[in-house]
Amino acid sequence: MNIPLNLKEKSAALSGLILRFCLTGVFLLSFLSANAQFTITNDFRSSQPTGIITGGGGGTQGVASFTSGIVDPVGAGWLRLTASQTNQRGYAYIDKSFPSTLGVLVDFEYKMWRNDSNSTSEYYGGDGIGVFLFDATSTFQLGGYGGSLGYAPNTAGGVNQGLAGGYIGIGLDAYGNYGNNNEGRNGRITRDANNDDVVPNTVVLRGPTTTNSTSSTVNGVLPTNRFLFGTKLGDRSGTAGAIRQRNEVDYNTAPYNIRPTDSQFYRRVQIEIKPLGGSLYNIVVRWRKSGSGAFTELINYNTQDVPPSLLKLGFAASTGGAYNYHEIRNLLVTTPGNLRVTKRADKETLRSVASTNSANVITYTIEVTNDTDAALQNIIFSDKLTDTNGNLVPKTMFNITNITNSGFLAGSSLTQSATTNEINGSLNLAANSVGIITVTGTLSSIPTGNTLKNTVNVMPTDITDNDLGNNTAVVTTPVIAEDVDLTLLKQTIGQECINYTTGNTYELRVTNLGILEATYSRLGNNTNRIVVTKDIPTGYTYNDSQTNYTTSTATGGTERWYRTTQSITGGTRYTYVARGAANGAQTLNGSGIIMEPNFPIRYTITPPAGTQSYDDVAKVEYRGSNGADSFNGTDIELPVNRLNNTITQTVVSTPSQPTIPNSTIYYCMRETATALVATPSTGNTLIWYLNQGGTPATVAPTPLTTLAGTTRYYVSQTNGSCEGPTATIDVVVLPAPSAGSLGNSQILCLNGTPSAFSSTQNGTATGWPTGTTISYRWEISNDGSTNWTAIQGVTTATYTPAMLTAYGIRYYRRITLATINGHTCPSGVSNTVTLRMITPTPGSISGEQKVCSGQTPAQITSESVAMSISDAVITYRWEESFNNAAWTIVPNATAITYTPGVKNKIGIWKYRRIAIATVSGNSCETASNEVIITVKNCKTISNPMLPNKAKK
């Protein structure tokens, strides 16, 4: 089974570590429904993560930095906010905005540790880490350092305002000041039994930044960064110093000069904001103190503080007399309430030999989270192991030895491929639960790029998952080679596309991915050399003046590189020989350490005008000694370690804007939208943005249509290394037109002539663009509630209905249709008007008879009653006619039956019943059939001449 990934990496067409390690720190981003779903991930393991702004006090106070290649192996670093020294300050924030519409989930790991006990005055560790969400439209301005952790004011430090645009600030407070009300902070956590002003080992939530610096509400404005909630952690007995020394928020156990392993100190934090409806938002903070198991809820707080529509995320830390390293890793920012997956490895680096601590064995832990209220069946699962270039590593290189799972429902299955390093399966997962999969394997040789990359993807089949960005997780693990293994790290400074005017600037740094150190020295010493070469074609302008180099072979000076040039076929070769900080033997440590990171080879290349693409190539070699002033010795790296010595980047011209079929798209409110469409040039990939400076994504957004208004979307295209300008698409969600109102309901008798239903108020399209046209659709129904049918061909504001041929009610309503650029939106329905034809069916009577004059006829009976519409009142009137004379009303005869009085008059009497239907004072009547009563002279005549018979 081959499960396609739904998230693509934005990457350059490179070889070497520009692809191998730089991309481990780029943001992987995705959103689907506009202003709603999104995903940001950054593991902070690389030395050059993109989209991160770092800063701090500067100078002796330090700044936030990345430890990859400096303290830790390349590709295995951390975001370090402060060093473990007194009076340090540092911050970092993601310079990409994300929406808050459907809530936010922030997930990260941290370490707080120090390089000595710092027990003087019971300082120990401090201060802590501030985690904050702030308005993305605000100009970034940090709050106070110290106990305010970059979020709240610190008037003692001269900072009278909290973080600009701050929404919430969570303090992971080791020292204990973030939760108190000193230094301009409003509100506090309760004191411990020791009654100390500081309350160490707490997690504290503070609210939005406002203009009110007092502790009371002023003119409806709440106090700035007010205390909302706090949780005290662990044993609270003893002095504040005794509490501070316990391993809760930070690590306080010797030996102090080594970062604690996950088994010694592990902290993973989740911050979740969910809208509850109305004006309420729920803020939850939870953490986990081991690599497995359930999270513990620390804060659960409901607030009426409405988050800004666009947010950014940041971290800050500081030290004073108490100090720690404050470090962040494995950041995920996403939309809650869907299916997501995360993955972590138990090794920072790998080797291809067992060595100590099973250095070539790695275990991956995969967490599949069903953050919905429904159990999910048949989640498609895919996991694969590849090299840097995405090629599956063969089983002869990496062998999966064990797969386990827990937390899934019955029917789940996982299958390991018999021929490749792939695992596929089907997972069933209960609502609001987490399933765990562990994969263990052994590495026996070096993958291309010295990187083992594990990619997992989950895809639900029984729900629509609107955030596919968090359905993929990637762990990239550096592989340390045997012996010395030099390679190059490359960083683009500024523009990635070809700049024909000022050129493109890059920096090269040498790193040693081998287990052994490399030795070298300046010319004048007969030692090994670290040599970097670049070949520049004729016609290209090359400027390396910002590189710290000399062209002298003398051993003195502070320059870090010796540079020489020579003509070669088709161009010029620039050769750089590493000199080190001083004359004498120099060492480049192994295990992924960068050589003198502050002294890169920095250069600018400008190609000839009209160049559409070119390859920028550099090569590093570890050459053996060949004389004191020579650097032309043979390459002494192991042959297998030379495969990554060359780094190639294809630099291309700026792509044009993608093709947009429609720059303005119209939707009706709550109309089902489809994903936006643009067409890239052949070979390019689209990049989508919800707003300028926002989160990029490779999946086209599907607009929300729940609110009327215009939303602008941005789309560009990239050829893998170079992104072009954006094109814009305006999505206009049109408000529903008003239906207007109707009048002139009618009550008619049979053969009456209906008049037109009137438009007492025409439909309107308020808020629609100029050029909108209005038309109408009329509908008819027999019952007024269901089965409405459109009346074809009628688009006017009024309508004259056809007459009914039998009693009944017809219901009519009108829908206003507003149209702009061919897109039509209906209004709701108007009020209903009716046409009532109330002439009743008369029913029938019987009772035809012959009677003698002077007799009383029998009753004329009702065979069937009169019928009309349901709300009609039926009454009767009897009429009679003698010998075909005009009909006359029988006085007081209004019953359903009628008994005529004594008939003395000889002749033909006719009777009929008139049915009268009355509605709202309007009456219609119908005559029944006629009943004849014949009255005869039935008297006896005596005549002696005739038989005695009566005439009849």
Side-chain angles (χ1 to χ4, degrees):
M1 180 185 296
N2 182 17
I3 308 299
L5 299 183
N6 295 283
L7 190 64
K8 297 180 180 178
E9 292 184 356
K10 179 185 176 185
S11 60
L14 313 176
S15 63
L17 286 190
I18 191 166
L19 181 62
R20 293 172 195 148
F21 290 121
C22 292
L23 286 185
T24 65
V26 302
F27 289 109
L28 303 179
L29 307 156
S30 180
F31 53 74
L32 281 218
S33 293
N35 300 316
Q37 290 82 12
F38 67 94
T39 293
I40 299 173
T41 62
N42 198 313
D43 58 16
F44 297 129
R45 290 174 179 265
S46 80
S47 58
Q48 302 153 2
T50 60
I52 302 291
I53 305 297
T54 58
T60 59
Q61 294 180 340
V63 295
S65 62
F66 300 99
T67 67
S68 172
I70 311 299
V71 176
D72 298 300
V74 167
W78 294 73
L79 166 59
R80 177 173 284 182
L81 297 171
T82 72
S84 179
Q85 301 171 18
T86 58
N87 302 314
Q88 298 294 293
R89 302 177 178 185
Y91 69 82
Y93 68 90
I94 301 169
D95 196 25
K96 297 293 180 183
S97 60
F98 49 88
S100 64
T101 312
L102 294 184
V104 177
L105 174 69
V106 179
D107 187 325
F108 63 93
E109 296 171 345
Y110 79 84
K111 299 276 189 188
M112 261 191 247
W113 59 287
R114 58 189 180 277
N115 52 10
D116 59 49
S117 65
N118 193 31
S119 59
T120 303
S121 302
E122 292 191 330
Y123 278 129
Y124 305 117
D127 287 322
I129 296 175
V131 188
F132 42 80
L133 291 164
F134 62 100
D135 189 340
T137 64
S138 297
T139 300
F140 181 79
Q141 181 63 51
L142 204 66
Y145 281 110
S148 296
L149 300 182
Y151 186 70
N154 187 331
T155 54
V159 180
N160 297 322
Q161 299 293 326
L163 175 73
Y167 175 59
I168 59 170
I170 292 95
L172 305 170
D173 192 5
Y175 189 79
N177 273 323
Y178 186 71
N180 68 27
N181 56 353
N182 297 338
E183 303 172 324
R185 293 182 291 272
N186 290 305
R188 68 163 298 138
I189 195 170
T190 59
R191 298 173 189 262
D192 285 315
N194 57 39
N195 202 36
D196 201 313
D197 198 41
V198 296
V199 185
N201 279 336
T202 58
V203 177
V204 172
L205 172 66
R206 288 189 174 274
T209 302
T210 71
T211 57
N212 177 12
S213 60
T214 72
S215 59
S216 302
T217 301
V218 177
N219 297 325
V221 180
L222 293 166
T224 191
N225 309 124
R226 70 192 190 279
F227 173 85
L228 299 178
F229 196 88
T231 296
K232 301 175 184 179
L233 304 170
D235 182 359
R236 309 307 299 180
S237 64
T239 65
I243 296 172
R244 190 178 299 122
Q245 199 176 10
R246 295 171 186 140
N247 292 344
E248 291 295 340
V249 173
D250 64 346
Y251 185 68
N252 295 275
T253 303
Y256 293 101
N257 59 343
I258 300 174
R259 181 188 292 120
T261 65
D262 285 351
S263 62
Q264 293 171 321
F265 182 84
Y266 178 86
R267 298 293 183 267
R268 179 178 170 190
V269 178
Q270 288 186 345
I271 301 165
E272 188 169 8
I273 304 172
K274 281 187 176 181
L276 297 179
S279 59
L280 279 179
Y281 292 81
N282 178 238
I283 300 172
V284 173
V285 180
R286 60 180 79 94
W287 78 354
R288 202 164 76 188
K289 297 169 67 174
S290 65
S292 60
F295 281 85
T296 299
E297 186 173 277
L298 304 178
I299 293 174
N300 191 325
Y301 183 83
N302 290 342
T303 180
Q304 290 185 328
D305 298 325
V306 178
S309 59
L310 289 174
L311 292 169
K312 289 183 179 179
L313 172 73
F315 302 90
S318 54
T319 69
Y323 48 78
N324 274 321
Y325 292 114
H326 298 90
E327 299 174 332
I328 305 291
R329 182 189 267 186
N330 291 333
L331 173 68
L332 167 70
V333 189
T334 191
T335 314
N338 49 47
L339 179 70
R340 64 178 182 270
V341 65
T342 58
K343 169 179 283 195
R344 285 163 174 80
D346 70 340
K347 287 284 198 311
E348 298 292 326
T349 61
L350 273 174
R351 292 178 64 182
S352 59
V353 295
S355 185
T356 58
N357 299 320
S358 301
N360 64 337
V361 178
I362 189 169
T363 295
Y364 299 99
T365 300
I366 302 166
E367 293 185 5
V368 183
T369 301
N370 177 9
D371 195 12
T372 76
D373 293 329
L376 299 181
Q377 303 292 319
N378 190 27
I379 300 168
I380 299 173
F381 175 88
S382 171
D383 189 33
K384 64 180 182 179
L385 290 123
T386 64
D387 61 19
T388 291
N389 298 324
N391 300 314
L392 285 167
V393 295
K395 301 191 77 169
T396 54
M397 177 180 290
F398 185 85
N399 181 40
I400 296 174
T401 57
N402 190 43
I403 303 172
T404 66
N405 71 87
S406 62
F408 296 98
L409 298 176
S412 299
S413 63
L414 294 170
T415 302
Q416 179 184 353
S417 170
T419 57
T420 63
N421 275 305
E422 293 179 286
I423 304 169
N424 296 303
S426 172
L427 306 176
N428 303 326
L429 192 54
N432 299 301
S433 68
V434 178
I436 306 294
I437 299 169
T438 62
V439 179
T440 300
T442 302
L443 186 70
S444 55
S445 59
I446 308 292
T448 300
N450 292 70
T451 298
L452 184 64
K453 185 175 181 180
N454 191 322
T455 302
V456 62
N457 178 263
V458 292
M459 185 64 62
T461 59
D462 49 3
I463 63 168
T464 299
D465 191 342
N466 286 326
D467 189 354
L468 299 181
N470 58 19
N471 291 47
T472 300
V474 180
V475 170
T476 301
T477 306
V479 178
I480 304 302
E482 304 311 302
D483 206 79
V484 173
D485 187 9
L486 300 186
T487 190
L488 290 169
L489 283 172
K490 184 177 183 183
Q491 182 178 7
T492 301
I493 308 299
Q495 184 172 322
E496 295 176 334
C497 306
I498 293 177
N499 187 327
Y500 298 99
T501 304
T502 61
N504 297 87
T505 300
Y506 306 98
E507 290 182 351
L508 292 175
R509 291 174 174 84
V510 178
T511 185
N512 180 7
L513 289 175
I515 195 67
L516 299 182
E517 64 185 26
T519 59
Y520 64 102
S521 65
R522 298 183 175 190
L523 296 181
N525 301 278
N526 188 15
T527 61
N528 299 333
R529 310 291 187 203
I530 295 177
V531 180
V532 177
T533 55
K534 282 192 61 60
D535 294 344
I536 305 301
T538 301
Y540 286 68
T541 301
Y542 182 78
N543 182 352
D544 62 355
S545 61
Q546 295 186 64
T547 299
N548 185 240
Y549 72 84
T550 180
T551 57
S552 170
T553 59
T555 58
T558 60
E559 295 84 2
R560 297 306 201 266
W561 298 94
Y562 166 75
R563 194 207 74 178
T564 184
T565 62
Q566 68 178 105
S567 295
I568 59 173
T569 302
T572 302
R573 174 167 295 165
Y574 291 77
T575 302
Y576 301 86
V577 182
R579 301 179 79 237
N583 190 33
Q586 304 290 314
T587 299
L588 173 57
N589 291 331
S591 298
I593 298 302
I594 297 173
M595 182 182 74
E596 296 204 90
N598 294 329
F599 297 95
I601 298 171
R602 183 175 176 123
Y603 61 93
T604 299
I605 296 180
T606 306
T611 301
Q612 295 301 304
S613 68
Y614 66 91
D615 287 341
D616 184 32
V617 183
K619 183 178 182 180
V620 62
E621 292 177 285
Y622 188 41
R623 297 178 181 176
S625 58
N626 190 32
D629 292 326
S630 174
F631 51 85
N632 294 321
T634 59
D635 192 336
I636 59 175
E637 278 193 84
L638 296 176
V640 69
N641 290 352
R642 300 174 195 170
L643 299 176
N644 58 5
N645 288 157
T646 300
I647 181 170
T648 302
Q649 178 180 359
T650 300
V651 187
V652 298
S653 59
T654 304
S656 61
Q657 291 179 332
T659 302
I660 306 297
N662 293 298
S663 60
T664 302
I665 300 173
Y666 294 98
Y667 282 107
C668 310
M669 277 189 68
R670 296 179 180 83
E671 181 180 353
T672 299
T674 58
L676 298 180
V677 174
T679 303
S681 302
T682 302
N684 289 352
T685 300
L686 295 175
I687 304 293
W688 295 90
Y689 298 89
L690 293 178
N691 57 289
Q692 287 184 316
T695 301
T698 56
V699 179
T702 299
L704 291 176
T705 61
T706 53
L707 296 175
T710 300
T711 302
R712 175 161 289 183
Y713 301 87
Y714 302 84
V715 60
S716 64
Q717 58 178 322
T718 176
N719 48 36
S721 61
C722 172
E723 184 177 352
T726 58
T728 60
I729 301 175
D730 288 335
V731 174
V732 182
V733 179
L734 300 162
S738 67
S741 57
L742 304 175
N744 196 30
S745 288
Q746 302 169 51
I747 300 173
L748 298 176
C749 299
L750 186 64
N751 298 321
T753 301
S755 59
F757 294 125
S758 62
S759 178
T760 56
Q761 182 176 343
N762 288 342
T764 58
T766 304
W768 280 55
T770 301
T772 298
T773 60
I774 297 292
S775 61
Y776 301 92
R777 181 175 76 239
W778 285 82
E779 295 181 344
I780 184 172
S781 172
N782 290 331
D783 57 18
S785 58
T786 59
N787 301 316
W788 289 90
T789 302
I791 301 173
Q792 300 299 315
V794 181
T795 59
T796 54
T798 61
Y799 172 63
T800 302
M803 184 55 191
L804 302 181
T805 58
Y807 75 82
I809 306 175
R810 294 295 181 269
Y811 300 84
Y812 299 85
R813 65 186 186 187
R814 187 185 68 188
I815 295 163
T816 300
L817 304 175
T819 302
I820 181 71
N821 286 2
H823 197 85
T824 299
C825 296
S827 69
V829 296
S830 69
N831 61 303
T832 299
V833 289
T834 57
L835 173 62
R836 286 173 162 84
M837 203 290 280
I838 65 173
T839 299
T841 58
S844 61
I845 56 177
S846 63
E848 187 164 327
Q849 53 191 289
K850 295 178 181 180
V851 299
C852 296
S853 175
Q855 289 182 335
T856 299
Q859 184 183 67
I860 301 174
T861 60
S862 175
E863 293 297 318
S864 60
V865 298
M867 300 289 291
S868 186
I869 63 176
S870 60
D871 56 347
V873 176
I874 303 294
T875 58
Y876 297 99
R877 181 180 76 245
W878 287 84
E879 294 180 350
E880 62 183 4
S881 170
F882 180 68
N883 287 339
N884 294 320
W887 291 93
T888 60
I889 297 173
V890 178
N892 301 317
T894 59
I896 196 169
T897 60
Y898 174 62
T899 303
V902 175
K903 294 300 181 184
N904 295 316
K905 196 172 184 179
I906 298 171
I908 303 299
W909 292 86
K910 294 181 181 180
Y911 291 88
R912 68 183 183 185
R913 186 180 66 190
I914 307 300
I916 307 160
T918 303
V919 177
S920 300
N922 299 278
S923 297
C924 297
E925 57 185 50
T926 308
S928 69
N929 59 302
E930 299 172 0
V931 171
I932 297 174
I933 298 177
T934 304
V935 180
K936 297 286 189 178
N937 182 3
C938 299
K939 292 182 179 180
T940 302
I941 301 174
S942 297
N943 186 339
M945 301 299 297
L946 295 174
N948 187 13
K949 294 181 179 178
K951 290 183 179 180
K952 296 184 179 178

